Amino acid sequence: MDGTSLDSELLVVATWLRVFARLDPSRKLTLRELEAFSGPPLIDSCRKCFPDRDPQEVERIYVEEAVPLYPTLASLFPGEKETLFALKEKGCRLALHTNKRREQALMALEKEGIAPCFDAVVAGGDAPMKPDPSGVYKILALLGAQKEDAAYLGDSSYDLLTAHNAGIPAFLVRFYPRSIPEGLEPEGYVDSYKDLPEVLSSWWSLMH
């Protein structure tokens, strides 16, 4: 979700600033440090930042601070809504796989008007966290699909590893600032949502 179907970098940074203001107001973080929180599972960041606190309590505070910021600090990417609806109309079955809590994920989809595009949602708590492939397997089961007919679109190494652990191709977006560790290679890149149908079509033509 974050970085792929939701432009939420400002939201993440602003939320963590509020969390630190509440739990450790004396600590000052750089923008680079704050940006690094976008990508890893939220619960992992909670453990890392506040090792002496209950990570679930820190997560609860994060969600409490984040929800009011969604209307002004989160948005879709250019061309995203039109592309998702076009893929849906062509018969593609779309699913959302996120470590974000289900209620947050569904709220964002509804707010941005793209909830009807998704045939399945597997969120935090529905399956083990990425990069465990269990969430992908659950989505395939929900859709009655085979992994040979699936592709994974993401923005981080967690997404790439999740896809490859599940045995499906991974495509990474290049419109979101992420660094991928050396040695990890996706099957392809997507520069914008308008390019997504062509990228997928080319891949399927190559493989079939």
Side-chain angles (χ1 to χ4, degrees), residues 20-174:
F20 277 100
R22 284 178 61 172
L23 301 181
D24 190 2
S26 64
R27 185 173 175 183
K28 305 300 180 185
L29 291 96
T30 65
L31 179 58
R32 185 180 295 269
E33 288 174 316
L34 289 165
E35 289 175 337
F37 291 128
S38 183
L42 175 58
I43 195 70
D44 289 352
S45 295
C46 293
R47 291 192 184 99
K48 181 179 179 180
C49 294
F50 302 99
D52 298 329
R53 291 180 176 269
D54 179 358
Q56 292 185 336
E57 175 63 13
V58 178
E59 184 181 41
R60 184 194 65 76
I61 292 172
Y62 179 94
V63 172
E64 184 179 289
E65 295 291 349
V67 169
L69 301 178
Y70 269 89
T72 55
L73 296 183
S75 63
L76 298 181
F77 291 99
E80 177 182 351
K81 190 171 185 177
E82 297 83 355
T83 298
L84 293 181
F85 273 100
L87 289 172
K88 180 78 171 175
E89 289 176 4
K90 289 182 179 180
C92 292
R93 288 173 292 172
L94 305 177
L96 177 71
H97 184 210
T98 178
N99 285 335
K100 187 184 291 294
R101 287 185 178 186
R102 171 170 283 272
E103 59 268 28
Q104 280 186 280
L106 295 179
M107 178 191 70
L109 294 180
E110 291 289 347
K111 171 188 170 295
E112 300 299 338
I114 57 173
C117 297
F118 294 94
D119 301 290
V121 174
V122 171
D126 296 334
M129 295 269 188
K130 296 184 283 186
D132 189 293
S134 299
V136 174
Y137 298 148
K138 185 168 185 175
I139 286 172
L140 294 175
L142 288 170
L143 298 182
Q146 302 299 316
K147 65 180 182 180
E148 292 78 11
D149 299 318
Y152 201 108
L153 179 68
D155 64 286
S156 72
S157 58
Y158 288 89
D159 297 315
L160 193 158
L161 290 170
T162 300
H164 286 179
N165 288 342
I168 64 176
F171 295 88
L172 295 183
V173 301
R174 281 202 280 216

Side-chain angles (χ1 to χ4, degrees), residues 172-184:
L172 295 183
V173 301
R174 281 202 280 216
F175 48 75
Y176 210 70
R178 288 274 193 263
S179 60
I180 303 300
E182 189 174 344
L184 291 180

